Amino acid sequence: MGEETEPSLIYGLELQGRSLAPITADTENISFMVGTQSLKSDNFVYIVTLDEDTGLLHKRILKYPAGEVWSLNPNPTDPNLFLSTYGEKSQDSWKKKAAVFRIPESKNNSSNDEGNLDSVDIEVQLDEITGKNEPVGAWYQPNEASKFCLIAGNSVNYLQLQESGPTKIWEAEHSVRGQTKIETGAWNPHRHCHQVSSVSGSQVMTWDTRTGDKAWTLNVASGSNIRSMDYNPNKQYYLATGGDDGSLIIWDYRAPSEPLTTVREHSHWLWSVRYNSFHDQLILSAGSDCRVQLHSQASLSSEPLRQSLEDDDVQEKILDDGIVQTFFDHEDSVYTAEWSSADPWTFASLSYDGRLVISHVPRSVKYRILNID
Amino acid sequence: AEQLSESVRLLQELGNPADNLIQTFLAHEAVKLDKSLEVLRAQVHLCQDPTKVNADSVVLMDSLEFIDEACNGFVPILADTATLFYQLFADHQGGEVILNDWITEHLEEYLNIVKTRLSLDKEERESVILVRALDRFYKKLSAATRNLPGLDTCQASLNVVLAVTEACVDATAANMEAELRENVLAARQAIAAPRTRMPPPAEGAVNSGGGAVAPPGAATSGINLIEMVNSLQDQIVDSLKTALGRLKMFTDPELTFSVKSGFRSRFSRDLIWNSIFFKQFWFIRDTCHKFTGDVTVPPALLLLLSRTCLDLHVSTIPFLATYTQDEFGLSESPNLSKICTSMASTSQLLLERYVQVESGDLSVLLGKSVEARDWLSSVEPRSVRAVMKRIVEDVNLIDSQVGQLYEEGNKKPRSGESTRRLGGASRARSVFSNYGNLDSSLATNIQKLFSERIDFFTPVKPTKVSVLTLIIKLGLKTLLECVRLKTFSKYGLQQIQVDCHYLQLHLWKFVQDEDVVHHLLDEIMYSAVLRSLHQPPVLMEASVVEVICDKV
């Protein structure tokens, strides 16, 4: 594997950043949002769209006056709303906060001249919910945009957004000895999003969304911290975690004591793991070793085999397991790599030095999966 | 026998059909044969289960006695019967076939019994007798049946010899495996045991005055790894030599079977090479390999086994192959490439795992120290944080452990300027020496021009410097990642500055290229500056930093 690909598109933000997300609600355009994380200068959110015909990247730059961007989570149905955690700086102090933001309609001037920029505005402040706890992240429920999960400190909150503001449906605590707070969270998209998970240290704890009760737990045997997790969107019970030992681990959470497979291809922390939502054989991982890895775990996917074109009776493997391609486009830690929600074969990655890279699945692999010769 | 002949002849004269006569004759002889086989069978049962109630007070015979019993009972009966048969029924057509069938039937039973009994002799002390017993068995049967037309017992009896030899070889191999398991377990326990204060080995880390020496209270590298490695090597070598010595008895030229080509080639090719030599080294390799996946193993054991596999690959296996060849007078050299390559790669994996575990431990220390502290409300730093001193101690310990087992390796020669004083560092190395006019992005861009990108991917080499470099790189990378997750007040930033300077003073000497340490620490400072609330950041004066670090 690892053959000739279309070249990656590189765009340099002038500031450091660690937040990147696909604009989920936009299923027609390959678009992502990126946030900057600077304590020195003003901060911005970039909406970048890849024009498939010209191969050019269109950018819309918006001011983000609230502070430095720590995370971005777009609304699944409304492309103009997103949840975000940010660092608010004042004279002598700094506080991390969370809010729902709105992207203003474009005024039809394509100028990205700083004087003329629109700003993203806070639509709903979430301070009351987070209270004294430091917000970690907020994720919309994938099938129900009026609900979302907000994690702050050790507390997992399931909230409903109403006219009057956010209301807490339930709250739970996930505290692990030796950890000061939850690291991240993820929605289980199956069965009407009946579960949401939180990660602390080397443990994944999953909550039943309907009740707020603990559903199941999973622990990484080596005790290595988990930094990212993602559920297989097409194969129920399967999920992937990645963490400080550089390993990508795939689990069946019905048998959590023994992982299905462990792949160690990063030489430092694995910061982001994402299943391709159309073809779950493909998994993207990014790490602080400056690498983005495209993996195939076809044998553990929802479609490991298919009927051979030549012989109806024969089942053939679609892809072998292993690294499909390693991407060397970054020179600093890559904290996120995300698939486009419009095109199964395109993804973006962001390294701390502000380098945004748009890359593609190698053509031969794409054709193999699509069964085109 | 005379009476028997007489009876038979009379019956023949009386005109009894020959077939009947033959059957009766053979049946009669069979009774005698079966009786002797019963005795032998009883011996087998007794040997298999010595605790079973022995109603007939049968005494257990050793192998030699057993074979003697057979050679005084079964074998002569068989031989005499055959001789008598030819005397009595010489002119009967097809008589030869009938006799040979009969012999073969009873012989099969005999051979099975002998094979079973002799295969039970697994102890080393029994080998001497076993070999003689096998020889006698083979000789006597050979002699007894040599003159019988149409009957060749050689192959069948040689098969028995081979089967018994194979059982002995397998038992020997199993012993060696058990020994190895014990030896590795003993090593593991010795490593994990609480340290007693032992003098560190002569080739300790070079301390040119600026380095931290482990405080006297702490146990210095109390385990003597080099001794353990040598001891394990010796054990492996001795184990194989002993096994070969024991099996050499089977090739004694005085034995009748050992000179047969059917035995010789099978013995040396299959049994010695495959079942002993290669089997043992693959077992050693597999045992070592398993540790790469074990999360509970103490890292020093990984280091020890990595060195062991390396030595096996480089010298021990070729040496023992030659030894084996010489001992058994074998002309064909075995193909060692597969096992040697595999040993080399297992050695590499174990070393990589060692790096992973040790850097992981350092990372946890560094990570927790940054994560758990409130950097926004720090006070002005007066000292280096304790965790930094701990890190340097741990690196010293790792250095001395690795130094015991692996050669130093090549270091990039230091430039003329002293790197001990922060003020003397060249601009390319440490931009934070000029703290005054600090334009972070310009500084880092200049820095990036001059220094090479830090590479985490070159596989670690079996030298001390390579191992330490990678461990330190990974540990400092963790510190970088953790610093980026925090926000620093003025004094928080200065504490990081002090800590980084301390690390710079003490870590450079362990790595291959000290610029790597400078570069990583500069990156850490740069990231801390980016995360500083005060923009532009206010750093501490270099001289003050020096004083604080010297206080330690």
Side-chain angles (χ1 to χ4, degrees):
Chain A
M1 303 203 211
E3 295 167 26
E4 220 197 271
T5 356
E6 291 158 56
S8 306
L9 198 61
I10 301 183
Y11 176 61
L13 277 66
E14 285 176 12
L15 296 167
Q16 62 276 14
R18 60 194 316 146
S19 348
L20 162 71
I23 308 224
T24 338
D26 185 354
T27 48
E28 298 204 352
N29 303 300
I30 298 177
S31 53
F32 299 89
M33 58 182 353
V34 184
T36 65
Q37 193 187 29
S38 169
L39 285 170
K40 186 172 146 187
S41 355
D42 291 336
N43 286 283
F44 303 89
V45 164
Y46 293 71
I47 315 255
V48 298
T49 310
L50 178 67
D51 185 329
E52 281 181 282
D53 300 321
T54 62
L56 291 176
L57 202 60
H58 296 292
K59 309 143 206 131
R60 182 179 174 202
I61 309 180
L62 296 152
K63 288 197 245 199
Y64 188 103
E68 42 155 8
V69 186
W70 277 81
S71 72
L72 295 168
N73 295 89
N75 186 302
T77 46
D78 184 345
N80 294 319
L81 287 174
F82 62 93
L83 280 162
S84 177
T85 57
Y86 58 96
E88 181 186 79
K89 178 178 147 178
S90 61
Q91 184 56 22
D92 279 320
S93 72
W94 176 93
K95 191 169 192 301
K96 202 160 171 210
K97 289 183 164 184
V100 179
F101 285 80
R102 175 171 290 283
I103 300 171
E105 287 300 328
S106 172
K107 286 196 214 104
N108 230 357
N109 62 339
S110 49
S111 138
N112 280 329
D113 175 25
E114 197 156 329
N116 269 333
L117 293 177
D118 294 324
S119 289
V120 294
D121 301 310
I122 295 181
E123 177 107 329
V124 184
Q125 187 59 261
L126 296 170
D127 278 357
E128 267 171 43
I129 312 285
T130 56
K132 287 212 190 79
N133 291 322
E134 184 178 291
V136 168
W139 296 263
Y140 283 103
Q141 182 166 327
N143 66 344
E144 175 74 56
S146 65
K147 299 202 172 87
F148 64 99
C149 172
L150 171 63
I151 294 181
N154 283 330
S155 122
V156 179
N157 304 281
Y158 182 45
L159 302 150
Q160 168 108 46
L161 260 181
Q162 289 161 327
E163 286 289 320
S164 48
T167 42
K168 219 183 270 195
I169 304 176
W170 54 256
E171 179 184 344
E173 185 174 304
H174 182 186
S175 49
V176 168
R177 200 165 64 109
Q179 299 297 322
T180 56
K181 59 175 169 36
I182 295 174
E183 172 73 22
T184 186
W187 278 95
N188 183 342
H190 296 281
R191 307 234 288 263
H192 307 296
C193 298
H194 71 312
Q195 289 177 350
V196 66
S197 302
S198 54
V199 170
S200 185
S202 57
Q203 181 180 76
V204 174
M205 193 174 277
T206 304
W207 312 89
D208 185 325
T209 339
R210 298 160 293 193
T211 58
D213 293 328
K214 211 188 302 183
W216 52 263
T217 344
L218 182 159
N219 288 283
V220 173
S222 64
S224 170
N225 289 335
I226 303 172
R227 297 279 163 190
S228 174
M229 67 173 282
D230 195 32
Y231 282 87
N232 184 324
N234 300 330
K235 197 166 167 73
Q236 212 180 19
Y237 310 119
Y238 279 35
L239 62 104
T241 61
D244 290 358
D245 58 3
S247 299
L248 167 69
I249 310 179
I250 302 198
W251 310 80
D252 177 336
Y253 66 77
R254 293 168 299 183
S257 54
E258 196 63 43
L260 294 171
T261 190
T262 307
V263 174
R264 194 165 179 270
E265 292 287 348
H266 285 281
S267 54
H268 203 250
W269 298 1
L270 204 169
W271 273 98
S272 157
V273 61
R274 291 287 180 266
Y275 273 97
N276 184 312
S277 48
F278 303 88
H279 306 285
D280 56 282
Q281 305 97 329
L282 299 177
I283 303 176
L284 211 55
S285 71
S288 43
D289 59 356
C290 318
R291 298 280 181 270
V292 173
Q293 304 273 11
L294 177 60
H295 307 252
S296 157
Q297 285 296 325
S299 65
L300 296 172
S301 70
S302 58
E303 207 197 341
L305 302 167
R306 62 161 167 235
Q307 237 170 13
S308 156
L309 284 176
E310 290 118 34
D311 187 347
D312 273 348
D313 289 332
V314 169
Q315 289 280 327
E316 63 175 14
K317 260 206 295 195
I318 298 180
L319 273 185
D320 286 327
D321 288 353
I323 295 289
V324 172
Q325 174 112 356
T326 306
F327 295 85
F328 300 93
D329 304 301
H330 293 280
E331 285 178 2
D332 200 343
S333 301
V334 187
Y335 293 123
T336 348
E338 294 276 2
W339 293 100
S340 156
S341 39
D343 175 42
W345 315 105
T346 307
F347 58 92
S349 52
L350 177 68
S351 51
Y352 193 62
D353 55 3
R355 183 178 299 187
L356 174 70
V357 179
I358 316 274
S359 314
H360 308 273
V361 174
R363 228 173 252 138
S364 57
V365 175
K366 170 178 170 181
Y367 293 158
R368 178 111 188 109
I369 293 177
L370 291 176
N371 219 351
I372 302 171
D373 265 313
Chain B
E2 256 185 47
Q3 271 186 326
L4 190 53
S5 325
E6 200 50 43
S7 321
V8 172
R9 266 188 251 275
L10 286 171
L11 287 166
Q12 276 175 327
E13 279 173 29
L14 282 175
N16 264 323
D19 293 327
N20 276 355
L21 219 45
I22 287 176
Q23 292 307 326
T24 321
F25 169 72
L26 289 177
H28 180 263
E29 297 302 284
V31 171
K32 285 192 262 175
L33 273 185
D34 284 338
K35 259 212 203 104
S36 85
L37 284 178
E38 254 318 301
V39 175
L40 297 177
R41 254 187 233 112
Q43 278 299 312
V44 174
H45 290 147
L46 195 59
C47 191
Q48 280 170 334
D49 189 0
T51 59
K52 220 156 80 179
V53 170
N54 192 346
D56 308 315
S57 320
V58 178
V59 176
L60 182 64
M61 305 177 195
D62 71 28
S63 315
L64 208 49
E65 290 165 346
F66 177 85
I67 294 294
D68 278 345
E69 170 70 35
C71 296
N72 293 335
F74 181 90
V75 179
I77 298 173
L78 198 68
D80 292 343
T81 308
T83 319
L84 204 51
F85 183 95
Y86 281 117
Q87 284 175 359
L88 296 173
F89 305 104
D91 46 1
H92 179 92
Q93 223 190 27
E96 184 183 304
V97 176
I98 299 176
L99 178 65
N100 286 346
D101 284 347
W102 182 87
I103 291 180
T104 312
E105 189 190 317
H106 286 91
L107 205 56
E108 238 179 79
E109 186 58 29
Y110 170 64
L111 292 175
N112 271 338
I113 294 176
V114 169
K115 181 164 76 168
T116 312
R117 170 61 186 84
L118 294 184
S119 299
L120 294 170
D121 269 0
K122 299 204 168 112
E123 299 296 318
E124 198 177 320
R125 56 190 157 77
E126 297 163 331
S127 297
V128 182
I129 300 180
L130 177 63
V131 172
R132 283 170 58 197
L134 272 177
D135 190 46
R136 188 166 301 180
F137 151 79
Y138 185 80
K139 257 200 311 232
K140 296 285 178 181
L141 189 58
S142 218
T145 59
R146 189 175 304 144
N147 296 318
L148 297 179
L151 190 69
D152 182 12
T153 59
C154 284
Q155 195 50 53
S157 47
L158 200 61
N159 285 345
V160 171
V161 171
L162 279 168
V164 173
T165 313
E166 191 168 341
C168 188
V169 164
D170 287 345
T172 312
N175 276 348
M176 284 202 295
E177 287 175 14
E179 268 175 43
L180 181 83
R181 255 187 241 115
E182 267 173 44
N183 291 334
V184 171
L185 185 62
R188 181 176 182 159
Q189 285 170 342
I191 286 173
R195 314 255 198 281
T196 47
R197 196 89 64 82
M198 268 172 68
E203 63 263 48
V206 172
N207 284 329
S208 60
V213 179
T220 43
S221 176
I223 22 170
N224 194 336
L225 284 176
I226 190 75
E227 202 178 272
M228 291 174 78
V229 152
N230 289 337
S231 159
L232 190 60
Q233 277 297 313
D234 288 344
Q235 282 160 353
I236 292 175
V237 170
D238 286 344
S239 175
L240 187 66
K241 281 188 174 175
T242 312
L244 291 176
R246 174 185 177 192
L247 295 174
K248 200 168 166 191
M249 286 189 262
F250 284 80
T251 62
D252 188 338
E254 295 206 347
L255 300 169
T256 21
F257 63 79
S258 75
V259 296
K260 299 280 173 199
S261 66
F263 178 80
R264 255 254 127 94
S265 65
R266 175 88 202 282
F267 184 70
S268 51
R269 193 185 63 240
D270 284 346
L271 298 181
I272 291 297
W273 284 125
N274 291 344
S275 303
I276 293 284
F277 187 86
F278 283 113
K279 185 154 184 251
Q280 178 64 354
F281 287 116
W282 280 111
F283 177 75
I284 295 177
R285 180 257 171 203
D286 289 343
T287 306
C288 290
H289 193 91
K290 276 208 199 78
F291 284 106
T292 57
D294 183 343
V295 295
T296 62
V297 64
L301 184 66
L302 293 167
L303 197 62
L304 190 150
L305 292 178
S306 153
R307 179 80 227 194
T308 303
C309 288
L310 190 65
D311 288 341
L312 286 173
H313 149 68
V314 167
S315 51
T316 315
I317 292 182
F319 161 72
L320 284 174
T322 317
Y323 176 86
T324 308
Q325 252 183 286
D326 291 343
E327 279 294 289
F328 290 87
L330 304 166
S331 53
E332 218 184 278
S333 312
N335 186 348
L336 300 174
S337 58
K338 228 170 139 192
I339 182 68
C340 281
T341 321
S342 188
M343 275 294 180
S345 85
T346 300
S347 170
Q348 180 69 16
L349 280 168
L350 284 163
L351 196 59
E352 283 170 10
R353 179 90 184 120
Y354 175 77
V355 168
Q356 197 192 347
V357 171
E358 290 290 21
S359 65
D361 288 347
L362 284 181
S363 293
V364 167
L365 273 177
L366 285 165
K368 282 204 155 68
S369 80
V370 174
E371 167 63 15
R373 191 192 168 102
D374 182 358
W375 294 96
L376 285 168
S377 51
S378 297
V379 294
E380 188 170 1
R382 296 249 179 274
S383 60
V384 175
R385 281 190 305 147
V387 67
M388 293 299 149
K389 302 182 219 167
R390 169 81 192 271
I391 294 288
V392 172
E393 272 168 38
D394 285 0
V395 171
N396 256 304
L397 190 63
I398 295 172
D399 181 79
S400 77
Q401 263 189 13
V402 179
Q404 283 189 49
L405 296 185
Y406 286 99
E407 61 175 36
E408 175 96 7
N410 296 324
K411 283 193 187 169
K412 190 168 141 189
R414 296 175 61 189
S415 73
E417 297 165 27
S418 155
T419 50
R420 280 192 59 205
R421 304 202 60 77
L422 189 56
S426 71
R427 189 168 292 135
R429 281 231 206 87
S430 174
V431 293
F432 295 97
S433 51
N434 305 328
Y435 61 89
N437 272 326
L438 193 65
D439 182 326
S440 343
S441 64
L442 180 63
T444 195
N445 286 334
I446 291 175
Q447 180 202 60
K448 281 200 167 144
L449 279 178
F450 284 113
S451 52
E452 285 169 23
R453 221 206 300 184
I454 300 288
D455 176 17
F456 298 99
F457 290 94
T458 3
V460 63
K461 293 200 202 56
T463 66
K464 183 174 76 132
V465 134
S466 175
V467 173
L468 265 294
T469 301
L470 191 53
I471 290 177
I472 290 175
K473 267 193 213 171
L474 293 171
L476 288 179
K477 181 75 176 158
T478 298
L479 184 55
L480 175 65
E481 292 297 317
C482 291
V483 159
R484 286 178 174 175
L485 291 172
K486 288 291 174 186
T487 310
F488 299 92
S489 65
K490 172 169 114 174
Y491 291 140
L493 178 65
Q494 289 182 354
Q495 180 67 65
I496 293 287
Q497 182 190 3
V498 165
D499 292 345
C500 283
H501 183 68
Y502 180 78
L503 290 178
Q504 181 171 299
L505 284 179
H506 296 288
L507 291 182
W508 66 266
K509 63 178 181 284
F510 297 108
V511 300
Q512 193 158 22
D513 179 357
E514 53 179 279
D515 284 344
V516 161
V517 170
H518 296 311
H519 178 124
L520 273 169
L521 287 167
D522 279 349
E523 278 208 46
I524 291 171
M525 270 308 294
Y526 176 52
S527 286
V529 158
L530 285 178
R531 296 303 313 159
S532 162
L533 268 188
H534 269 262
Q535 293 290 346
V538 177
L539 291 176
M540 211 174 219
E541 273 206 37
S543 52
V544 181
V545 175
E546 286 283 340
V547 166
I548 295 180
C549 290
D550 276 344
K551 255 194 332 186
V552 171

